[in-house]
Amino acid sequence: MNKSFLGLITILLTPLFLLANDHYAVQVGVFLNPRLSDFNTIDHLGYLYAEEDEGNTYRVFVGDFDDVREAENIERQLKKSGYLDAFVAVRNTQFGKPVAVIQMATRSFKEDINWEPFLDLGEVYVLSEGNQVKIVTGVYRDLNEAKVDLKRIRMSGFSDAFPKIVNGARLHELGAFELGDYKKALIPIAFDASPSTTRTNNSDDLRSRGQQLEDRNVISYDRSSSERILVEKSPNASAMATNFELPLPRIRTNVKRQSVLDLQKALKSMGTYNSSLDGYYGDGTASGFEQAANSNATFRKYMTLAENTFPTNGTTRTNNLQNALNNLPSNPASSLVALEGDNSPLAKAYSAYWAFQMNGASRGVNDVMNMAIAEAFQRQPRNSAAAYYNVSIDPRSTYAYQDINQIVRHIAELHQIQGDRIYLPCWMMTRHTEEISKSMNRSSMNVYVSQDCNGFFQWETSRVLKSIAEDIGTTRAAQDGAALTRLYLSPTALSQIEAQGLNAWNNLLWQNLSTWQTRDPLHQKIISAMQLAYFQTQVQLEDHFMDKGFSAPQSKSLALAVLKAMVGDHLDRFV
């Protein structure tokens, strides 16, 4: 191990401390400009609040629980209500510091709270505890400062108000979402008081007191796995791309297409579609598919199989370095130790990345990143290495990193250079969607990406299709994760030659599958179920890409590209 590297890492990581998880919330999902009234069907489950993300998107949460079992119960109810991406998040209160506030009132989360009297007094925060909502104002420098302001609060009608010390990480600042129809701006009031009674509202000082910690104090909790992924805002990324959420598109009824015609033929052979074979996805086609999916025993069998096998863990590589990268946000202490014991350029780069995230720019970060770059290029002549790998890094330069996005871009390129199938972890894609997408879109670039860093397998038919392909294929090879991620995050129209190649692949695949099914009655049942899953998924994919602005022909080619990336390796025996 390079002693200078060890010394740099020791300096970089000294301020880090272990995460302490002792409170739980349930994230409903990420939404664009959500309104409280949008969630009337679930507001009986607990106090609803939102934390602002990027691009007018918000993470909506329910409650604050001491017992994870309570949170898991809420998660189950949310999923039954249709919020399939809900998950239990852990609030790390160790990130918050004790802060002084004045508690003005306690309400039930079920009440229709009139916020106006509270807003007239200054900044308002909520402390959610079980069925109660504790409404506080602050933050004060200390209890003495809070006591000075207590008289004003009580004279305003809150005679039972009292000062207290709370953990700042558990306070939720009241915002437009929580206010609902009450749209009064949250502008801090300037009091004509002496400096000793003026409350602190400087954002940096609030951060030190435990406020504005949403970028560090929430991690997703998965009771079926030891992996816990830090939820952090992804700069300039859309809500869908940030969280890999992919709702089912509305299928167009006025677009005539081959995928619908193929589906109609399959449904007619199953006896669930009696209308004309016209290639338009109307009510008859939708009804026919629903009937077939519910009545076809083979389809139902693979649906059950899919439910028990998805989601996957992502990458298929489980060496020590890969594990350290995968678990860095959820278990930084042990992961950083593992990175220190690995002398590869990627280990150094991720150590520098984490140090920058925790402590900001520094000479130590620069030294470690530049060391990683120099070592990565040692196998190629320095004057031609960048062109050889088709990356933006210039190994002859010495970089001073002032922007985390620059580190992210260079890490993506180091994955390309290292080239020994160390996958880019999904959490990196989640945090830095835009920058990773830019790197992946570079000509000929093939960043190694974990299998499931996309939303396509959120669709039931996609999962069923995957299960069937795995069952009848001769290989258990993973789908093309890099291609799926690229098609999900930053799709571009395919060339005519690419489109023709995909059409040829699709035609040959079904020609050979049709021949295979004639050899055995069991084969015929499997292919009938596969037709349902494949063609319905193809239709949905085409509408997904049309929703993104692509033409119908372009969307057809992109849909086939996704299908090939999903199951092409599994079904290679048929082409």
Side-chain angles (χ1 to χ4, degrees):
M1 185 73 190
N2 188 305
K3 290 184 178 179
S4 61
F5 172 56
L6 277 174
L8 285 169
I9 292 299
T10 301
I11 294 172
L12 286 172
L13 303 178
T14 298
L16 295 177
F17 46 82
L18 293 176
L19 303 178
N21 304 328
D22 54 6
H23 280 274
Y24 306 89
V26 183
Q27 180 170 309
V28 180
V30 180
F31 305 90
L32 180 66
N33 293 321
R35 297 174 300 175
L36 187 61
S37 58
D38 296 335
F39 302 89
N40 289 339
T41 58
I42 61 170
D43 60 8
H44 63 284
L45 297 177
Y47 177 67
L48 286 162
Y49 57 97
E51 294 180 356
E52 187 172 1
D53 213 44
E54 298 290 339
N56 296 322
T57 61
Y58 294 78
R59 301 178 187 273
V60 177
F61 293 89
V62 176
D64 194 330
F65 308 95
D66 296 327
D67 188 342
V68 67
R69 291 171 297 184
E70 295 182 53
E72 289 172 348
N73 180 50
I74 297 299
E75 177 192 8
R76 286 191 290 270
Q77 294 185 63
L78 285 171
K79 288 183 176 179
K80 287 181 181 179
S81 298
Y83 295 94
L84 301 183
D85 296 316
F87 65 84
V88 176
V90 182
R91 294 282 183 185
N92 291 303
T93 55
Q94 185 173 343
F95 281 117
K97 295 184 179 181
V99 295
V101 297
I102 292 178
Q103 182 169 319
M104 297 181 287
T106 300
R107 299 283 190 269
S108 167
F109 75 83
K110 297 180 181 180
E111 290 185 44
D112 185 11
I113 301 174
N114 177 16
W115 294 108
E116 185 169 2
F118 302 103
L119 293 170
D120 287 340
L121 298 176
E123 293 176 344
V124 178
Y125 300 88
V126 168
L127 184 65
S128 175
E129 292 184 353
N131 293 329
Q132 293 185 332
V133 175
K134 297 181 178 180
I135 305 169
V136 305
T137 188
V139 171
Y140 301 92
R141 294 189 181 94
D142 50 40
L143 274 179
N144 288 331
E145 185 181 46
K147 290 176 182 177
V148 171
D149 199 34
L150 181 60
K151 180 178 180 181
R152 180 183 66 88
I153 301 296
R154 287 180 172 174
M155 290 179 62
S156 299
F158 300 102
S159 58
D160 295 329
F162 60 92
K164 62 189 295 187
I165 297 292
V166 300
N167 187 306
R170 294 194 60 197
L171 292 178
H172 310 298
E173 185 171 6
L174 198 66
F177 175 83
E178 294 80 9
L179 289 173
D181 293 332
Y182 185 76
K183 300 299 183 183
K184 183 172 181 177
L186 293 179
I187 302 175
I189 297 175
F191 299 107
D192 295 327
S194 64
S196 63
T197 62
T198 302
R199 288 177 284 174
T200 303
N201 58 22
N202 178 272
S203 60
D204 292 333
D205 192 54
L206 285 174
R207 177 179 293 277
S208 70
R209 294 172 182 267
Q211 302 305 309
Q212 301 179 4
L213 290 164
E214 63 271 20
D215 56 341
R216 290 187 181 180
N217 73 344
V218 182
I219 58 179
S220 71
Y221 173 83
D222 183 352
R223 57 189 174 280
S224 64
S225 169
S226 60
E227 184 180 23
R228 297 180 179 186
I229 303 174
L230 186 68
V231 175
E232 182 168 321
K233 294 180 288 188
S234 301
N236 302 317
S238 68
M240 181 178 295
T242 301
N243 290 279
F244 307 121
E245 296 175 355
L246 195 62
L248 283 171
R250 180 187 60 80
I251 296 177
R252 290 162 173 78
T253 60
N254 61 343
V255 178
K256 185 174 183 177
R257 36 189 156 161
Q258 184 65 42
S259 57
V260 176
L261 181 60
D262 291 336
L263 178 61
Q264 288 173 339
K265 290 178 180 179
L267 296 175
K268 186 175 282 287
S269 69
M270 297 177 196
T272 63
Y273 180 75
N274 299 313
S275 299
S276 60
L277 299 174
D278 56 9
Y280 291 100
Y281 200 104
D283 292 340
T285 306
S287 176
F289 171 77
E290 185 176 356
Q291 291 180 46
N294 290 330
S295 61
N296 187 293
T298 306
F299 186 89
R300 302 295 298 178
K301 180 189 76 171
Y302 283 109
M303 184 184 299
T304 301
L305 180 63
E307 290 173 354
N308 294 326
T309 57
F310 280 85
T312 65
N313 288 327
T315 131
T316 58
R317 179 68 174 267
T318 56
N319 64 22
N320 291 337
L321 176 56
Q322 187 70 69
N323 285 336
L325 299 186
N326 291 348
N327 298 322
L328 181 57
S330 59
N331 192 357
S334 61
S335 296
L336 291 167
V337 170
L339 292 179
E340 289 179 29
D342 190 302
N343 201 32
S344 67
L346 278 176
K348 295 179 175 66
Y350 276 88
S351 297
Y353 165 88
W354 192 255
F356 190 102
Q357 287 286 67
M358 300 302 291
N359 304 312
S362 69
R363 180 177 178 180
V365 169
N366 298 340
D367 290 344
V368 173
M369 277 298 298
N370 284 302
M371 187 186 302
I373 291 170
E375 293 176 3
F377 280 93
Q378 283 179 349
R379 296 181 182 179
Q380 294 293 330
R382 294 175 65 87
N383 61 349
S384 62
Y388 176 85
Y389 289 112
N390 190 33
V391 294
S392 64
I393 297 175
D394 183 354
R396 296 167 296 183
S397 300
T398 300
Y399 291 93
Y401 294 91
Q402 299 298 318
D403 181 0
I404 191 64
N405 289 330
Q406 186 181 18
I407 294 180
V408 170
R409 288 193 296 272
H410 284 180
I411 283 179
E413 294 181 352
L414 287 175
H415 274 277
Q416 174 77 359
I417 295 167
Q418 184 150 327
D420 58 356
R421 300 202 69 80
I422 298 297
Y423 291 95
L424 188 73
C426 284
W427 62 262
M428 178 66 84
M429 184 69 70
T430 304
R431 292 188 183 192
H432 306 289
T433 305
E434 184 173 342
E435 293 307 317
I436 298 297
S437 297
K438 289 178 181 178
S439 296
M440 293 180 70
N441 282 333
R442 289 183 60 85
S443 175
S444 303
M445 190 159 188
N446 183 30
V447 177
Y448 291 118
V449 184
S450 300
Q451 296 178 38
D452 57 352
C453 296
N454 66 81
F456 293 122
F457 286 111
Q458 292 186 15
W459 296 345
E460 184 176 70
T461 54
S462 300
R463 298 195 297 270
V464 173
L465 174 61
K466 170 76 169 168
S467 296
I468 296 174
E470 286 181 340
D471 191 33
I472 67 175
T474 56
T475 174
R476 307 295 288 183
Q479 65 269 8
D480 189 345
L484 284 174
T485 302
R486 188 180 297 108
L487 288 163
Y488 176 72
L489 292 174
S490 52
T492 56
L494 303 181
S495 68
Q496 183 176 359
I497 293 177
E498 290 172 320
Q500 290 173 348
L502 287 166
N503 279 324
W505 170 83
N506 183 63
N507 293 336
L508 182 60
L509 172 66
W510 281 106
Q511 178 183 332
N512 292 334
L513 286 172
S514 297
T515 301
W516 182 75
Q517 74 172 334
T518 63
R519 298 174 183 174
D520 189 301
L522 177 60
H523 293 179
Q524 186 175 6
K525 292 180 180 180
I526 294 173
I527 295 305
S528 292
M530 184 173 173
Q531 287 173 331
L532 286 177
Y534 188 98
F535 297 131
Q536 179 72 8
T537 300
Q538 183 179 1
V539 171
Q540 292 169 173
L541 286 168
E542 289 171 352
D543 280 285
H544 164 74
F545 287 115
M546 282 188 276
D547 286 345
K548 289 184 171 293
F550 293 97
S551 67
Q554 290 172 334
S555 297
K556 176 186 176 181
S557 299
L558 288 168
L560 288 176
V562 172
L563 289 167
K564 185 177 181 181
M566 281 181 174
V567 298
D569 284 345
H570 297 294
L571 301 177
D572 187 60
R573 61 180 287 206
F574 296 103
V575 292

